Amino acid sequence: MLATQLRPLKTAERGQCVSWFFDIGPQRYEERNIIVRYCDIKMLSFSRLFASRGLVAAGVRSCQKHTLPDLPYDYNALEPVICAEIMQLHHSKHHQTYVNNLNVAEEKLAEAHAKGDVSTVISLAPALKFNGGGHINHTIFWQNLSPDGGEPSGELLAAINRDFGSLDAMKSQLSAATIAVQGSGWGWLGYNKQKGALQIATCPNQDPLQASTGLVPLFGIDVWEHAYYLQYKNVRPDYVNAIWKVANWKDISARFAAAK
C-alpha cells in the first residue's frame, strides 16, 4: 500500500532548502516528476496541496523546477471526442502556464523563508494551491484519457457495482455532478479510504481533490472552458457525455488498486 502523506527524507533546518521527491510505485505515472520544495519542516502543511494521490518519498534532490509532462499519445489521438487543436492548446499552453507559475511561486516561497518573511509566505498560499492544483489535476487528466482505454473490470467494476448499482449509474451520476459545476472546475471519481468506497465529488477552479476532500483521485473531468469550448461551444453536457468514450480504464483501475 502506498503512503498517504508526504515524508521528508532528512531533517530540515530553518532557511535550508530541502526537496521531497515522490514516486508513486510500479505504475510510474507522470506525477513522478512532481517535486515539492520547502525551506522549513514546519511548511509540511503546505505539502498537502500536492498529495493528489498516494505518494511515496523515494529520494531527496536539489531544488529543481517542475516540468510539463509529455502526453502518452499524439494530440490528434483522442479525435473525434477531443480535437487536436484543443489538446495542443490545453497541454502546451494552459498546463504549461500552471507549471511556470508554480515554479515562480515556489521560488518566491523559498526567498520569503530565507528572509523569515512570514507575511509573504502566507500570501503565496493561493498561488501554490491554484497552480500546484492545476499541475496535479492535468497530470492526472492526461493519463486518465486514451484512444483505447477499454472497459472497467475485476475489482474496480465490482466496486462500481457495489457503490453505484451499475457502471451506467456511476457514469450518469458523475456526468450530472460535473455538468452542474458552476463556472470552472472538475468532476471526480474518487476513493474514500476511510469508508473503503468509491465516491463522486466536484472541486472548483483547480482545487486538488485529495487536499480538498481527502478522496484519492481516480478519474477526473476538466470542465474549464478551455478543455472543450473550441469544439463543443457552450454545450458542456455533450463534452462530458462524450469523454467517457476515451476514458482510460487501465489507468483508472491502476489508481484504484494503488489507493486501497
Side-chain angles (χ1 to χ4, degrees):
M1 182 179 293
L2 295 178
T4 58
Q5 294 182 352
L6 311 184
R7 300 195 303 256
L9 296 188
K10 68 177 183 179
T11 301
E13 302 294 339
R14 184 172 180 81
Q16 177 186 10
C17 192
V18 174
S19 295
W20 286 265
F21 171 64
F22 303 96
D23 194 350
I24 61 172
Q27 299 301 325
R28 293 187 177 277
Y29 296 100
E30 290 301 323
E31 291 99 317
R32 67 184 184 275
N33 290 328
I34 294 177
I35 309 291
V36 187
R37 302 191 301 272
Y38 297 102
C39 297
D40 191 328
I41 196 71
K42 296 178 182 177
M43 288 305 296
L44 271 173
S45 59
F46 278 99
S47 67
R48 292 188 67 252
L49 299 176
F50 301 94
S52 64
R53 63 188 304 268
L55 298 175
V56 178
V60 177
R61 294 185 176 182
S62 59
C63 292
Q64 299 183 30
K65 290 184 179 295
H66 300 281
T67 59
L68 182 70
D70 294 331
L71 292 184
Y73 39 74
D74 293 333
Y75 284 133
N76 64 357
L78 302 182
E79 291 184 337
V81 176
I82 305 177
C83 68
E85 184 180 12
I86 287 178
M87 289 299 297
Q88 183 173 11
L89 290 171
H90 197 174
H91 176 254
S92 67
K93 300 298 184 182
H94 291 279
H95 190 173
Q96 182 67 68
T97 298
Y98 296 124
V99 171
N100 294 344
N101 289 340
L102 176 59
N103 285 327
V104 170
E106 288 192 348
E107 289 172 0
K108 291 181 178 179
L109 180 64
E111 292 173 1
H113 263 283
K115 297 176 181 177
D117 185 353
V118 177
S119 179
T120 297
V121 168
I122 294 171
S123 72
L124 289 168
L128 289 167
K129 181 179 182 180
F130 182 75
N131 294 292
H135 184 28
I136 288 171
N137 293 341
H138 286 88
T139 300
I140 296 171
F141 185 63
W142 310 132
Q143 297 287 346
N144 270 174
L145 304 177
S146 172
D148 53 357
E151 294 291 336
S153 60
E155 292 186 359
L156 175 60
L157 181 58
I160 290 172
N161 290 332
R162 178 196 68 209
D163 296 332
F164 299 100
S166 68
L167 176 62
D168 285 342
M170 185 278 289
K171 288 182 177 179
S172 178
Q173 291 180 43
L174 179 53
S175 294
T178 305
I179 291 167
V181 169
Q182 295 183 345
S184 300
W186 292 74
W188 290 98
L189 175 65
Y191 180 69
N192 187 319
K193 288 195 171 191
Q194 291 184 332
K195 296 181 178 180
L198 299 174
Q199 189 172 324
I200 287 170
T202 60
C203 293
N205 302 313
Q206 293 296 349
D207 291 8
L209 181 68
Q210 189 163 355
S212 301
T213 68
L215 300 177
V216 179
L218 304 180
F219 177 67
I221 304 176
D222 184 356
V223 285
W224 279 68
E225 286 190 342
H226 62 237
Y228 64 88
Y229 199 86
L230 286 176
Q231 184 173 353
Y232 293 91
K233 306 307 182 207
N234 64 332
V235 190
R236 180 186 285 181
D238 286 356
Y239 158 72
V240 171
N241 291 325
I243 206 168
W244 292 105
K245 297 177 183 178
V246 290
N248 186 354
W249 288 104
K250 295 177 183 178
D251 179 73
I252 300 166
S253 295
R255 293 176 185 277
F256 175 65
K260 293 192 300 177

